[in-house]
């Protein structure tokens, strides 16, 4: 477990139940022509042979013949030149870790921040070093005071500088202190710094503001780690009013502890028995990812347990904590101000994406479940029109566009790209036109954000092993940095794919990278708990700044042209509105339909094909002849007729106003929105339960066929036997009679009573407000619902995570989907 070389020709090793001396014979040095093994001689331990010796140090100067070693149990031992144990003393500590020997002193590093000092010649106790900071300290607000009952980090390494009489101590929380021990009775601190003690997962650079309205000084950046901390760093020499330099670190501004538990603050890898702690990497603790809001006021962080936290950076307070996911959060992303909305997307290993509205106190807007595996990255794009792009371990990239609905925003999938390799990370350039994706095959693939088509593909690593784990574009969009699983970092020209630099240094994989806004540095973090700051060459920095100047010049020219068009179009619009009002006042006898503009059809799935444009009349002229031709249009081709020569049923059999998302007066002014199958099935279920109709299964076949505007399918025998009865038939006839009285029967309306029933029942429930779930009791009062109560339950327990509630809702609707799939062959058959 440790080794130490003596000033003479031997060295000593210590470990489990052994202390061995290895002698080198100088007389045989010239006779040895090949590698030969050494034969060690064990030290005579006596009654101490059952101890684990963790460190050893050979004496210096007058004590060069002596050897000092220390055991985990807290025993300091001294061996003479004959390998005999001369003296040993009990340090009276729970655990000892390290030893350092000079000509005068012996320093023993022990548990709870204790460092004991002994005299080398006689092992007399002299004093203890001052203890470092206690675990969980607020470096920005507390002074170096001793708190009773506080827990301190263990001392795990010591090094002595005899020239300056400085002793360097490394503690188990990866903090470093340098003490001046020239006078052991009055020890002073020379320098100290605090670092992460475990995996560093992510790094974020704090945005810069011209009016100095930021919560952190310029040049600050943040890191998060498995030690349950988020740390704020700043390397600038200037000071900030709210963040003065503290006595613990010149670079560390603030530490946020996400939990009160301090056991993760100490490194778990340096334990006496590593066999029992071999799975220390599997501990689901720590902050996995974080993101700073564009205005610099909020910090969103996700931990490995699936929790989402929001911190307010002005006062460093936690304002929101949500159990968002069932597994670790892998990505967080705020939307840019250019998109026109303030959203936060949270992606997790549970394959779900939650979209939260920042302006409405992080209200849940939508949950997306397109991916079939862990989601590795999600990004917002767009200028004015917001767009979401996500990739995952299912080798898929989804492009979505946002659509505003009555109760918020809804993302609709526009493109789906399926690759043959796993996708680990992605980033969007400053122009919002391209997205770069890091792939498992060590390639960087660049896609167009608008079309979803691949633009470039080039190597992201110069090696032949490993996978690309991270990709990061610089602020100008000129270069991108990639990290590979072989622990290398590459800087590549974004447009040409040429590698301009390659770096090594981390001892573990690089888990995060960020360019600074001054284009001078690249910050990387790794699983080795280290933060590296790389200085970019002047040529790279100059190229970045020149590209930023070019982009700024193009943007100014674009803004210069905007007032011309705006000043020309706005008076035209105002003039049209004024003319419309005056014309209505002058001719009040005209029908309102002649005065009101035609309703716009809401099309959410991109451009329509030609056959759909003909159905809607967009491909023909606006005259009457064209309209008549639109109504009489029939599809052409070999698939236009069935074997029985029956005409194909299309949307022409009914009034288009009832089947398009257009505001219609006959529907009681209810706005129709695009619905998915789960929501439609849940709506049908709510209506059936509200009406007390137990025969919803029998009518579901009719409702599904009516939704797809197909002829009524013949009922299945096994389904009808479940719910047919004379009472139900008479009730259905009565309901159909009411429908016939309320709706005017014309050739453009649905021809079957089943279609009328579905339309009435479905669209009337869209405007119904759902009741809020109340919890007036305590957790002890909550009981599992009975079988009949569970059937009627419409809400989930909000104490569960968002993902659990979403998946539970999907499972409850799974049987509706099974019935739908039962009819799917018939539906597909009639469609053909």
């Amino acid at each position: 477990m440790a080794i130490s070389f003596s000033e003479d020709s031997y060295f000593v090793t210590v470990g489990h139940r052994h202390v061995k001396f290895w002698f080198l014979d100088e007389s045989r040095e010239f006779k040895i022509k090949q590698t030969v093994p050494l034969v060690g001689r064990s030290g005579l331990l006596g009654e101490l042979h059952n101890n684990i010796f963790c460190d050893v140090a050979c004496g210096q100067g007058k004590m060069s013949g002596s050897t000092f070693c220390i055991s985990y149990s807290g025993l300091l031992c001294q061996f003479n030149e004959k390998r005999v144990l001369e003296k040993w003393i009990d340090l009276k500590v729970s655990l000892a870790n390290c030893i350092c020997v000079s000509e005068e002193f012996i320093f023993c590093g022990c548990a709870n921040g204790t460092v004991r000092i002994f005299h080398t010649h006689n092992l007399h106790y002299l004093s203890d070093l001052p203890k470092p900071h206690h675990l969980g300290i607020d470096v920005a607000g507390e002074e170096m005071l001793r708190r009773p009952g506080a827990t301190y980090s263990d001392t795990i390494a010591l090094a002595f500088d005899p020239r300056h009489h400085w002793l360097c101590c490394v503690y188990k929380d990866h903090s470093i202190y340098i003490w001046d021990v020239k006078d052991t009775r009055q020890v002073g601190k020379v320098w100290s710094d605090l670092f992460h003690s475990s995996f560093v997962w992510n790094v974020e650079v704090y945005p810069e503001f011209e009016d100095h309205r930021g919560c952190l000084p310029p040049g600050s950046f943040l890191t998060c780690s498995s030690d349950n901390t988020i740390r704020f760093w700043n390397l600038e020499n200037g000071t900030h009013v709210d963040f003065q330099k503290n006595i613990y670190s010149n670079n560390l501004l603030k530490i946020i502890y996400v939990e009160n538990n301090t056991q993760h603050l100490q490194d778990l890898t340096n334990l006496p028995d590593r066999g029992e702690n071999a799975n220390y990497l599997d501990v689901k603790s720590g902050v996995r990812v974080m993101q700073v809001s564009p205005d610099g006021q909020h910090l969103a962080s996700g931990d490995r347990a699936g929790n989402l936290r929001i911190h307010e950076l002005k006062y460093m307070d936690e304002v929101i904590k949500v159990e968002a996911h069932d597994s670790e959060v892998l990505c967080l992303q705020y939307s840019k101000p250019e998109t026109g909305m303030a959203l936060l997307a949270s992606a997790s290993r549970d394959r779900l994406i939650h979209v939260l509205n920042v302006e409405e106190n992080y209200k849940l807007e939508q949950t997306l479940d397109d991916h079939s595996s862990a989601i590795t990255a999600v990004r917002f794009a767009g200028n004015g029109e917001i767009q979401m792009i996500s990739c995952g371990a299912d080798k898929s990239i989804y492009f979505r566009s946002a659509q505003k609905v009555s109760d918020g925003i809804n993302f609709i999938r526009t493109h789906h790209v399926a690759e043959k390799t796993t996708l680990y990370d992605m980033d969007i350039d400053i122009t919002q036109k391209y997205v770069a994706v890091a792939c498992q095959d060590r390639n960087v693939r660049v896609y167009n954000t608008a079309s979803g088509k691949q633009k470039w593909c080039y190597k992201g690593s110069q090696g032949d092993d490993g996978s690309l784990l991270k990709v990061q574009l610089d602020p100008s969009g000129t270069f991108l940095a990639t990290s590979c699983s072989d622990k290398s970092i590459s800087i590549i020209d974004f447009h040409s794919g040429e590698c301009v630099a390659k770096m090594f240094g981390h001892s573990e994989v690089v888990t995060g990278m960020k360019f600074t806004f001054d284009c001078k540095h690249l910050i990387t973090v790794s699983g080795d708990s280290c933060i590296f700051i790389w200085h970019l060459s002047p040529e790279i920095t100059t190229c970045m700044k020149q590209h930023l100047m070019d982009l700024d010049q193009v943007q100014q020219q674009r803004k210069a042209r905007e007032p011309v068009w705006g000043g020309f179009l706005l008076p035209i619009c105002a003039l049209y509105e004024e003319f419309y009002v005056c014309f209505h006042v002058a001719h009040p006898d005209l029908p309102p339909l002649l005065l009101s503009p035609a309703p716009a059809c809401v099309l959410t799935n991109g451009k329509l094909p030609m056959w759909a444009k003909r159905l809607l009349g967009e491909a023909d002229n606006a005259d009457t002849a064209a309209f008549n031709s639109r109504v009489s249009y029939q599809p052409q081709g070999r698939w236009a007729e069935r074997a029985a020569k029956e005409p194909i049923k299309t949307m022409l059999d009914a009034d288009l106003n009832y089947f398009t998302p257009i505001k219609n007066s006959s529907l009681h002014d209810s706005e129709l929105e695009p619905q998915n199958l789960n929501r439609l099935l849940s709506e049908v279920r709510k209506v059936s339960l509200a009406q007390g109709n137990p025969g919803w299964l029998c009518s579901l076949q009719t409702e599904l066929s009516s939704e797809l505007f197909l002829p009524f399918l013949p009922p299945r025998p096994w389904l009808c036997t479940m719910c047919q009865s004379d009472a139900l038939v008479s009730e259905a006839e009565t309901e159909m009679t009411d429908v016939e009285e309320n709706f005017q029967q014309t050739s453009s309306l649905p021809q079957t009573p089943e279609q009328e029933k579905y339309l009435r029942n479905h669209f009337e429930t869209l405007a119904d407000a759902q009741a809020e779930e109340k919890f007036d009791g305590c957790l002890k009062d909550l009981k599992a619902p009975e079988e009949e109560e569970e059937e009627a339950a419409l809400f989930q327990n909000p104490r569960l995570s968002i993902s659990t509630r979403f998946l539970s809702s999907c499972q409850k609707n799974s049987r509706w989907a099974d019935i739908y799939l039962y009819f799917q062959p018939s539906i597909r058959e009639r469609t053909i």
Side-chain angles (χ1 to χ4, degrees), residues 108 250 294 634:
C108 300
N250 294 328
Q634 291 293 335

Side-chain angles (χ1 to χ4, degrees), residues 342-357:
L343 301 175
L344 173 64
S346 172
S348 169
R349 194 178 294 276
D350 63 4
R351 72 174 184 80
L352 297 180
I353 301 177
H354 300 314
V355 182
L356 309 176
N357 194 326

Side-chain angles (χ1 to χ4, degrees), residues 426-455:
M426 66 181 179
D427 197 15
I428 297 178
D429 73 329
I430 189 174
T431 62
Q432 307 292 305
K433 294 182 180 179
Y434 303 107
V435 54
V437 183
C439 306
Q440 188 180 19
D441 58 0
R442 297 182 303 280
N443 286 331
V444 175
R445 291 176 171 85
V446 182
Y447 299 88
N448 188 295
T449 57
S451 63
K453 295 184 178 181
Q454 182 174 309
K455 180 72 173 177

Side-chain angles (χ1 to χ4, degrees), residues 535-603:
H535 181 73
L536 302 178
S537 65
E539 293 80 8
I540 296 179
T541 300
T542 303
C543 190
M544 292 181 186
K545 292 184 177 181
Q546 183 62 38
H547 195 192
L548 283 174
M549 294 175 60
D550 296 341
L551 292 175
D552 186 58
Q553 186 177 2
V554 171
Q555 187 176 6
Q556 290 180 0
Q557 293 176 357
R558 186 177 303 170
K559 288 183 178 180
R561 291 193 297 265
E562 287 180 357
V564 178
W565 292 98
F568 175 75
L569 292 177
L570 289 179
I572 297 296
C573 298
L575 182 63
Y576 174 77
E577 294 177 359
E578 183 178 355
F579 168 77
Y580 179 82
V581 174
C582 295
F583 189 80
H584 177 65
V585 174
H587 303 277
D589 53 335
L590 292 179
L593 289 178
L594 297 179
L595 296 176
S596 60
C601 182
V602 182
L603 302 177

Side-chain angles (χ1 to χ4, degrees), residues 500-697:
V500 298
K502 186 175 181 179
M503 300 92 74
F504 286 95
H506 286 285
S507 61
E508 294 290 344
V509 294
V510 177
T511 54
M513 300 179 298
K514 281 292 182 180
F515 287 92
T516 57
F517 289 107
D518 59 2
C519 302
K520 294 182 179 180
H521 300 93
L522 173 66
I523 306 174
T524 61
V525 296
S526 169
D528 57 9
S529 76
C530 293
I531 304 171
F532 281 22
I533 300 179
W534 306 86
H535 181 73
L536 302 178
S537 65
E539 293 80 8
I540 296 179
T541 300
T542 303
C543 190
M544 292 181 186
K545 292 184 177 181
Q546 183 62 38
H547 195 192
L548 283 174
M549 294 175 60
D550 296 341
L551 292 175
D552 186 58
Q553 186 177 2
V554 171
Q555 187 176 6
Q556 290 180 0
Q557 293 176 357
R558 186 177 303 170
K559 288 183 178 180
R561 291 193 297 265
E562 287 180 357
V564 178
W565 292 98
F568 175 75
L569 292 177
L570 289 179
I572 297 296
C573 298
L575 182 63
Y576 174 77
E577 294 177 359
E578 183 178 355
F579 168 77
Y580 179 82
V581 174
C582 295
F583 189 80
H584 177 65
V585 174
H587 303 277
D589 53 335
L590 292 179
L593 289 178
L594 297 179
L595 296 176
S596 60
C601 182
V602 182
L603 302 177
T604 62
N605 293 327
K607 296 182 179 180
L608 287 178
M610 184 58 65
W611 63 267
K613 291 184 179 180
R614 289 174 180 171
L615 292 179
L616 296 176
E618 297 180 5
D620 303 323
N621 297 326
D623 53 0
T624 308
F627 183 80
N628 293 333
S629 64
R630 171 175 67 88
V631 175
S632 60
Y633 167 76
Q634 291 293 335
Q636 304 296 326
R638 60 184 297 186
W639 303 105
E641 292 183 349
R642 290 174 50 85
K645 303 299 182 181
E646 297 177 0
I648 295 177
K649 288 287 185 177
T650 65
M651 293 174 61
L652 301 176
D653 297 312
D655 188 3
L656 292 177
N657 293 332
Y658 287 93
F659 304 112
T660 56
I662 304 175
K663 188 176 182 180
N664 194 300
S665 59
S666 63
L667 297 179
H668 306 287
D669 297 332
S670 62
E671 295 187 4
L672 310 184
E673 304 170 3
Q675 305 287 331
N676 55 23
L677 178 62
N678 290 335
R679 190 181 299 178
L680 290 175
L681 293 174
S682 62
E683 293 286 353
V684 174
R685 182 189 177 196
K686 292 178 184 177
V687 175
S688 301
L689 293 175
Q691 294 177 353
N693 182 9
W696 61 272
L697 285 174

